[in-house]
Amino acid sequence: TQLAGEKVRQAEQELIYDVDKAYWQVVSLHHKHQLAVEYRDLLRRLNADVEKMVQEGVATKANALAVAVELNKADITLLRVEDGETLSRMLLAQICGLPLNSALELKDLESVPEINYATKDHHSADEAVAMALTQRPELKQLALGQKIYEEKVKIDRAAFLPTLALTGGYGMTYPSAFNGFEKKFKGTWSVGLLLKVPLWEWGEGKHKVRAAKADVAMTALKAQEAQEKITLQVTQSHLVLNEAQKKLSLSRRNLSKAEENLRMARVGFKEGVVTTSDLLAAQTAWLAAQSDKIDAQIDIMITRAIYEKALGR
């Protein structure tokens, strides 16, 4: 029963991770959809401004064509993101056991949580490994399996050892078997010893015990191998989580610079000292910085799920 419970616990952890991953994928695509709409609207406004400038003779048709091309690309990107969000919602519903067309209301669609995981219930790599070695259900399964095989060794050995049994009983007869079959209940007690000594079993017991000991040794080796793999997995997930935290910090700084660069490009474009291509480049850089920040935030959430799963929590 305990072994089955550990298997159920492991399956639950796998399911939780799958749901977490699918959930944050929906959140990521939803925010990227909003970003794609915002970028498309920026290009529409720029396209309208450039067309007016062409009519006034302060911009060329080449400038207008460059903006139109970028606007078409933005429309295509928006369409792809919309399709991706639809499919990711269907995947999440399928994992949750819901109809594929279920209308899921996710609480993180307004904003992705700003979590600094480096200071939130975070451990050193050695602490994380020690925690995983005591909590991972796979190791508990192997430990239970080893105990089962150790008991099997005792059972197989006992089956071919001499056994001594004490027997006792009481019997009654009517009419009585004593005193000339007197019509009364009469009984007798009986006590005995039963000794069973296997004299010749053709080495069967020795082979069974040896096979059971081999199962114990094999389970111990599997447990050792599993510990090594878990140590590697936890250490790797710990490093990836720290890397995701640093990536988020860098993406925030890059976004701040991209926003300032876009602001200056817009001012310069209105003043006529920045070209259309430079403004498009600034908008593209801003879009990339926004997308990188969303990716970094989602990476934090997914790598956290991987880290928790590696710990066995």
Side-chain angles (χ1 to χ4, degrees):
T1 303
Q2 191 174 358
L3 184 61
E6 291 299 330
K7 289 183 177 180
V8 170
R9 181 166 172 257
Q10 185 179 1
E12 287 176 348
Q13 288 185 346
E14 292 287 346
L15 180 60
I16 290 171
Y17 169 71
D18 290 341
V19 172
D20 249 8
K21 187 176 179 181
Y23 175 90
W24 291 113
Q25 185 67 25
V26 174
V27 174
S28 173
L29 288 168
H30 178 80
H31 286 282
K32 287 190 175 181
H33 175 255
Q34 293 178 331
L35 180 60
V37 170
E38 187 176 354
Y39 182 64
R40 190 269 317 272
D41 292 342
L42 282 175
L43 288 173
R44 280 182 176 177
R45 289 194 294 269
L46 178 59
N47 186 57
D49 291 340
V50 171
E51 286 180 353
K52 291 178 182 178
M53 293 169 66
V54 170
Q55 292 174 0
E56 295 173 0
V58 294
T60 64
K61 290 185 178 180
N63 298 139
L65 286 173
V67 176
V69 168
E70 291 298 321
L71 180 56
N72 288 335
K73 290 181 180 179
D75 287 331
I76 294 173
T77 300
L78 178 58
L79 180 61
R80 289 175 177 173
V81 173
E82 287 175 346
D83 292 342
E85 183 180 355
T86 300
L87 291 174
S88 65
R89 283 178 175 274
M90 293 174 67
L91 176 61
L92 178 59
Q94 187 267 330
I95 294 175
C96 293
L98 300 172
L100 296 182
N101 58 351
S102 298
L104 302 176
E105 296 182 6
L106 310 185
K107 68 176 184 178
D108 295 295
L109 295 184
E110 292 300 323
S111 62
V112 182
E114 295 283 350
I115 292 181
N116 186 352
Y117 200 67
T119 59
K120 184 179 182 293
D121 192 25
H122 198 47
H123 306 85
S124 67
D126 292 337
E127 290 173 339
V129 169
M131 188 182 300
L133 293 180
T134 60
Q135 294 185 159
R136 285 289 288 264
E138 302 97 311
L139 294 179
K140 292 182 179 180
Q141 289 179 33
L142 289 170
L144 288 172
Q146 189 170 353
K147 288 182 181 180
I148 292 172
Y149 283 123
E150 288 172 353
E151 293 298 322
K152 188 173 183 296
V153 171
K154 296 178 183 178
I155 294 172
D156 288 341
R157 183 184 289 120
F160 294 92
L161 292 176
T163 56
L164 179 63
L166 174 65
T167 64
Y170 181 79
M172 299 183 66
T173 60
Y174 181 88
S176 172
F178 308 97
N179 193 18
F181 295 99
E182 183 181 5
K183 292 185 177 180
K184 291 183 179 179
F185 285 101
K186 295 288 184 177
T188 58
W189 291 94
S190 62
V191 179
L193 291 174
L194 177 63
L195 177 65
K196 177 184 177 183
V197 180
L199 297 177
W200 193 258
E201 33 85 14
W202 301 95
E204 181 182 357
K206 185 185 295 183
H207 291 313
K208 282 191 173 183
V209 171
R210 189 176 298 169
K213 287 182 177 180
D215 289 333
V216 173
M218 187 183 304
T219 307
L221 289 174
K222 286 182 179 180
Q224 182 180 356
E225 183 182 4
Q227 288 178 356
E228 293 173 354
K229 290 182 177 180
I230 288 173
T231 300
L232 178 62
Q233 186 183 49
V234 172
T235 303
Q236 184 180 17
S237 63
H238 187 273
L239 293 173
V240 171
L241 184 58
N242 288 336
E243 182 181 343
Q245 184 65 49
K246 293 176 182 177
K247 180 182 175 182
L248 179 57
S249 299
L250 288 173
S251 67
R252 286 170 178 161
R253 289 200 291 268
N254 289 339
L255 177 58
S256 178
K257 294 177 181 178
E259 287 175 341
E260 178 62 17
N261 182 49
L262 178 58
R263 186 189 68 81
M264 294 178 62
R266 285 173 175 169
V267 173
F269 182 73
K270 289 181 180 179
E271 297 295 330
V273 295
V274 172
T275 63
T276 305
S277 59
D278 290 338
L279 179 57
L280 287 173
Q283 288 183 339
T284 302
W286 170 84
L287 175 67
Q290 287 278 16
S291 181
D292 287 344
K293 181 175 179 288
I294 294 173
D295 288 340
Q297 288 175 293
I298 298 300
D299 280 347
I300 284 285
M301 308 309 294
I302 293 179
T303 53
R304 184 182 68 168
I306 295 173
Y307 179 66
E308 295 290 345
K309 181 173 177 291
L311 292 182
R313 296 198 298 195

